[in-house]
């Protein structure tokens, strides 16, 4: 499955990496790795047929990943919000 990022999600990720790096050195990289793991979990638990925006909280960071399955081949990450 292809993982696509909206321009908003790309900006969210860049901002959150800076925020977490400001809190602790290299924490931005940890955030990025945790985000990849969260997206992998989303793909493993994929249920076909959902056409609405879904939200998944990350395990290691106070962040929610907003996404939608565009079709059987593409998932679009629409936003990544700190809570």
């Amino acid at each position: 499955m292809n993982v696509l990022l909206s321009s908003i999600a790309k900006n969210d990720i860049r901002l959150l990496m800076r925020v977490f790096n400001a809190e602790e050195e290299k924490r931005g990289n940890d955030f990025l790795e945790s985000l990849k793991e969260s997206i992998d979990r989303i793909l493993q638990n994929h249920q076909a047929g959902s056409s609405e925006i879904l939200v998944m909280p990350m395990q290691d960071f106070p962040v929610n990943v907003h996404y939608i399955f565009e079709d059987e081949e593409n998932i679009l990450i629409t936003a990544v919000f700190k809570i």
Side-chain angles (χ1 to χ4, degrees):
M1 182 168 282
N2 299 316
V3 177
L4 309 172
L5 295 173
S6 71
S7 59
I8 292 170
K10 288 178 187 177
N11 289 334
D12 292 342
I13 293 167
R14 287 184 194 114
L15 174 63
L16 288 171
M17 286 187 68
R18 285 193 300 264
V19 167
F20 290 126
N21 274 331
E23 292 175 2
E24 181 182 325
E25 189 176 341
K26 304 289 184 189
R27 191 152 188 246
N29 291 337
D30 294 340
F31 162 72
L32 194 55
E33 288 304 314
S34 182
L35 178 62
K36 290 176 185 177
E37 291 170 8
S38 294
I39 292 171
D40 285 342
R41 278 197 325 275
I42 290 169
L43 294 175
Q44 290 171 0
N45 296 324
H46 168 51
Q47 296 176 354
S50 179
S51 62
E52 58 187 59
I53 294 180
L54 303 168
V55 179
M56 179 180 196
M58 291 178 60
Q59 289 183 344
D60 302 326
F61 289 86
V63 173
N64 284 338
V65 179
H66 296 245
Y67 62 96
I68 188 167
F69 290 98
E70 291 190 320
D71 52 37
E72 291 300 317
E73 296 179 15
N74 298 302
I75 178 176
L76 175 65
I77 307 300
T78 59
V80 182
F81 290 119
K82 187 173 184 204
I83 49 177

